[in-house]
Amino acid sequence: MRSRPYTRVVAVAAVAALTATACTAQSEAQHKSKQKAALFKPGSEISYQKYGKSYPATKVKDGPGPCSYESISRKDYSGQTLKIISHAVPVIGEPTQLHAKQFEEITGGKVEVVNVPFGELHQKILTPLQAGQPAYDVMFYPSLWIGDMAPYLAPVPEEYLNTPGMRDVTQSYMDVATWDGKVVQYPVDGDRHYLKVRTDVLKDPKWQAEYKRATGKDLKVPTTWAEYQETAEVFSGKDFDGDGKKNYGSAEVTKRDDLTFSAFISRAAPYVKNPKVKGGVFFDAETMKPLINTPGFVRALEDMVKAKSTWAPGGANFGLGDEIFSFGGGQTLMSYSWDDAFIQAQQPDSKIRNTVQAAPLPGSSEVYNRTTKAWDKKANQAAYFTWGWTSAVAKASSHQEMAFDYLCFFGNEANTALDLTIGRFGVNPYRMSHFDPAFWEKQGWDKDVAEAYVKTLSGMEENPNRVFDLRVPGVNQYMSALANGVAAALAGQESPQRALDGVAGEWAEITDQIGKDKVRSAYRNVVALEDKS
């Protein structure tokens, strides 16, 4: 009877020895770069123009440092191949491809990029990692997946953490990149949800008078969701542009499988993030009981259902791209989500360029207190740091130096300056230097537009009342369940309360399936970010 346990011990020891040998061999097999003469002089002018007419004519200076064109072009990766997986073109997928092509040109290495639709990205990255056979060296994905990805990621080496660009990343986005005290994601984007509004309409005496007649109030940028709804209702169906076509009040991301959950969290944030209550907004951090069906979330879903009357035709099935072009193209008065719609509105050929304003997400006149189980009658506003794109290097990659050099190059000062101005790229401010109005004025933005934009984004960094995405193992299952519940309420299939009761039940089952202790341990990372002031 003792022989079997002993055999298992020997087998485990043998596996451990083989694993150690394999890791050592892998470490020794790490491919390194050779050095060659630089292809660029310090401070060279950088432009994307040669890559196609769809890129801006903007030129910027190559900044100093190890990530610059000058420094990276000294690396010789000829004979080596880097494999990358990224989102579909254009959002984050297009800059991945563009910078891969540039990296090939200046280093001599080969870079293979696979672009995958959002719905397939999680599985195509995680399944090979879990099998111990990573298919890619570099991965671009939503940062909220960190709870699933972290065990398989290589920590960012100190030499890259000390580059000028990395030291410039805001504290919030360094926090987003960190897991269990280690930076395992390489920041390439900083995403927040905020309000966008057409100021040409708000400042027009004709429309000011129209709003005054309808509401008895002065027309202004909404500061609460109630004001947002009222403004959207008044202007939906009106012709702002005098072209005989109807305009509408609000564009929102409502398509079930296209980030609806993020739009809903934006609406819920001021109702559920009570500055007096610590310990999480999605779960009770001690018991892991879901809070998604508590009164604050229900109020937000009730608001979202009311908003349907203000949407453009098809607005009940808008994906992110639809929202970008609806507001960015001038169809709607307002929207809220990522930067992309605002940057689209500010493109050089936009008919509403410099007639738009960024502002904080609408707040509320009261906020639910889950400790007292009552509403606190006080104005509340919460900043929502929604997931954003990130990147990482596989721990098992044998091309880690090349991989981190590629990411270093991707986010160098010249590339980032250009990427920020291309709305479809999905690269949004994540460094302190991006909050300089002068940078945006150089892109042709009016001074007041640039200053409001910078103030809105930087103000979120300073806001102590913050909501971060749910960053736990199984996050895709949780968010899919939430999106289904929101969709059911929007379609009139269930009341908001009943829809979210169903979501809460599914969340409890998901937690039990993954393991309550495992999810709780990860969730405490989220709570620590939200309760940090």
Side-chain angles (χ1 to χ4, degrees):
M1 295 294 291
R2 292 184 180 180
S3 62
R4 289 183 180 176
Y6 178 76
T7 302
R8 285 199 295 270
V9 170
V10 172
V12 170
V15 170
L18 287 171
T19 302
T21 301
C23 289
T24 302
Q26 178 186 311
S27 179
E28 291 174 350
Q30 281 287 327
H31 298 280
K32 301 294 183 180
S33 67
K34 294 172 284 188
Q35 294 293 308
K36 58 182 177 64
L39 301 179
F40 293 82
K41 294 179 180 179
S44 295
E45 281 195 336
I46 305 299
S47 169
Y48 294 165
Q49 269 194 296
K50 76 172 188 175
Y51 298 102
K53 294 181 180 179
S54 63
Y55 295 113
T58 310
K59 294 181 180 179
V60 296
K61 297 282 187 183
D62 186 27
C67 302
S68 66
Y69 278 77
E70 187 263 339
S71 294
I72 295 296
S73 72
R74 294 180 183 275
K75 302 287 185 86
D76 183 355
Y77 283 112
S78 55
Q80 296 190 43
T81 300
L82 191 69
K83 296 184 177 181
I84 300 176
I85 185 169
S86 187
H87 185 238
V89 171
V91 178
I92 216 66
E94 188 174 352
T96 303
Q97 288 185 346
L98 173 62
H99 299 320
K101 184 176 180 63
Q102 295 170 317
F103 192 80
E104 284 185 331
E105 292 173 352
I106 68 177
T107 68
K110 184 177 181 182
V111 184
E112 297 176 354
V113 177
V114 173
N115 295 98
V116 178
F118 187 86
E120 301 174 18
L121 191 59
H122 185 270
Q123 182 180 356
K124 287 190 182 285
I125 293 175
L126 189 59
T127 300
L129 289 174
Q130 290 174 327
Q133 299 175 333
Y136 306 98
D137 303 289
V138 174
M139 300 151 294
F140 288 85
Y141 58 87
S143 61
L144 82 169
W145 293 352
I146 191 170
D148 288 328
M149 304 295 179
Y152 311 103
L153 305 181
V156 179
E158 198 69 27
E159 63 194 276
Y160 296 92
L161 292 175
N162 286 327
T163 60
M166 191 70 87
R167 291 199 301 269
D168 192 32
V169 174
T170 71
Q171 186 58 55
S172 294
Y173 281 96
M174 288 308 298
D175 289 342
V176 165
T178 302
W179 193 258
D180 285 339
K182 293 181 180 179
V183 179
V184 294
Q185 294 183 155
Y186 203 104
V188 293
D189 175 36
D191 279 354
R192 312 152 184 84
H193 274 195
Y194 61 92
L195 175 65
K196 298 100 175 169
V197 61
R198 283 185 57 172
T199 52
D200 57 333
V201 178
L202 267 59
K203 293 177 179 178
D204 188 322
K206 170 187 172 182
W207 297 117
Q208 289 174 346
E210 175 83 12
Y211 187 77
K212 187 82 168 181
R213 279 195 299 271
T215 68
K217 302 172 186 176
D218 292 330
L219 181 59
K220 62 184 180 66
V221 175
T223 58
T224 66
W225 284 112
E227 290 177 357
Y228 183 96
Q229 177 67 17
E230 187 173 60
T231 304
E233 285 178 350
V234 169
F235 288 100
S236 196
K238 302 294 194 302
D239 177 7
F240 308 156
D241 302 311
D243 58 5
K245 297 179 182 179
K246 288 182 179 180
N247 295 89
Y248 297 90
S250 176
E252 310 186 33
V253 179
T254 57
K255 190 175 181 181
R256 183 189 61 78
D257 56 353
D258 196 348
L259 310 176
T260 301
F261 62 85
S262 288
F264 173 65
I265 294 169
S266 273
R267 281 186 166 274
Y271 293 127
V272 300
K273 185 61 175 71
N274 192 316
K276 297 192 297 185
V277 179
K278 306 297 184 182
V281 297
F282 296 111
F283 293 94
D284 182 301
E286 295 302 319
T287 66
M288 290 308 292
K289 179 182 178 181
L291 303 175
I292 197 66
N293 60 337
T294 51
F297 284 107
V298 175
R299 175 78 61 84
L301 190 49
E302 290 171 346
D303 284 357
M304 201 169 185
V305 171
K306 289 178 188 173
K308 289 169 60 178
S309 64
T310 72
W311 298 341
N317 197 39
F318 266 17
L320 177 58
D322 300 306
E323 182 261 346
I324 290 171
F325 290 106
S326 182
F327 178 79
Q331 182 187 35
T332 47
L333 175 65
M334 300 179 292
S335 77
Y336 64 94
S337 75
W338 292 268
D339 257 9
D340 310 289
F342 193 83
I343 301 300
Q344 184 65 35
Q346 284 295 97
Q347 294 299 295
D349 60 350
S350 169
K351 69 179 183 181
I352 59 171
R353 192 180 202 209
N354 285 320
T355 63
V356 292
Q357 181 180 326
L361 272 178
S364 60
S365 59
E366 57 182 2
V367 55
Y368 188 68
N369 186 322
R370 65 180 176 86
T371 301
T372 63
K373 301 192 182 319
W375 288 90
D376 290 342
K377 306 292 183 181
K378 56 174 289 184
N380 191 50
Q381 196 273 336
Y384 175 32
F385 286 79
T386 186
W387 49 271
W389 296 103
T390 194
S391 59
V393 173
K395 188 186 295 183
S397 168
S398 59
H399 295 277
Q400 288 188 14
E401 182 186 348
M402 188 179 185
F404 280 114
D405 275 348
Y406 168 79
L407 293 177
C408 183
F409 173 75
F410 182 109
N412 71 26
E413 284 76 357
N415 285 340
T416 302
L418 293 171
D419 292 351
L420 285 169
T421 66
I422 302 174
R424 65 184 186 273
F425 269 23
V427 176
N428 306 137
Y430 63 101
R431 292 175 176 161
M432 296 306 299
S433 57
H434 299 163
F435 298 148
D436 180 1
F439 168 79
W440 299 101
E441 290 177 51
K442 287 178 183 176
Q443 315 310 316
W445 292 23
D446 285 353
K447 183 180 177 65
D448 60 339
V449 175
E451 289 181 346
Y453 176 75
V454 165
K455 182 180 178 181
T456 297
L457 270 59
S458 62
M460 294 178 70
E461 292 284 335
E462 299 160 6
N463 188 338
N465 200 39
R466 308 181 297 176
V467 173
F468 286 83
D469 275 314
L470 184 62
R471 306 182 335 142
V472 297
V475 66
N476 265 21
Q477 297 175 62
Y478 289 109
M479 292 299 100
S480 178
L482 177 57
N484 287 337
V486 170
L490 291 179
Q493 296 167 350
E494 293 183 334
S495 69
Q497 181 70 67
R498 187 175 178 83
L500 292 179
D501 285 343
V503 174
E506 287 189 59
W507 278 24
E509 291 176 5
I510 295 166
T511 302
D512 288 341
Q513 177 189 3
I514 295 172
K516 186 176 289 187
D517 290 342
K518 184 177 180 180
V519 178
R520 177 167 42 218
S521 176
Y523 185 56
R524 283 174 174 166
N525 283 293
V526 183
V527 173
L529 292 180
E530 290 178 342
D531 290 349
K532 184 179 179 181
S533 58

